[in-house]
Amino acid sequence: MAPNNPPIQPGAPRAVEILAFPDSQLLDVAGPLQVFASANERLAECGQPPAYAPRVLAQSASVGATAGLVFAAAPLPGDASAVDTL
């Protein structure tokens, strides 16, 4: 049974949060981030507003991946924070 998700409303991008943890694989963080960024780019080409608001979250302000790259992350939200996709 498919979930009953409401349609995306113009002007209200869906919050997409990508959880990063120490020693993550780069592709596990960058891949989903790029998918949603590319979707927003395609919508912009059609004159539509962004449908997604992706962000990377972690316990600390920076996270190191197994490849040695360290990237910035937003702090984990509180329990009351609404998330559309994690």
Side-chain angles (χ1 to χ4, degrees), residues 23-34:
D23 294 328
S24 295
Q25 296 284 319
L26 285 176
L27 191 57
D28 291 339
V29 177
L33 185 61
Q34 187 61 56

Side-chain angles (χ1 to χ4, degrees), residues 9-38:
Q9 300 297 319
R14 289 185 176 251
V16 176
E17 298 186 343
I18 301 160
L19 181 61
F21 51 89
D23 294 328
S24 295
Q25 296 284 319
L26 285 176
L27 191 57
D28 291 339
V29 177
L33 185 61
Q34 187 61 56
V35 166
F36 290 107
S38 294

Side-chain angles (χ1 to χ4, degrees), residues 6-76:
I8 296 173
Q9 300 297 319
R14 289 185 176 251
V16 176
E17 298 186 343
I18 301 160
L19 181 61
F21 51 89
D23 294 328
S24 295
Q25 296 284 319
L26 285 176
L27 191 57
D28 291 339
V29 177
L33 185 61
Q34 187 61 56
V35 166
F36 290 107
S38 294
N40 284 339
E41 290 172 5
R42 299 302 173 260
L43 289 169
E45 290 171 1
C46 298
Q48 297 180 32
Y52 305 102
R55 67 183 184 150
V56 176
L57 304 176
Q59 263 187 322
S60 61
S62 63
V63 180
T66 57
L69 180 69
V70 176
F71 51 90
L76 295 173

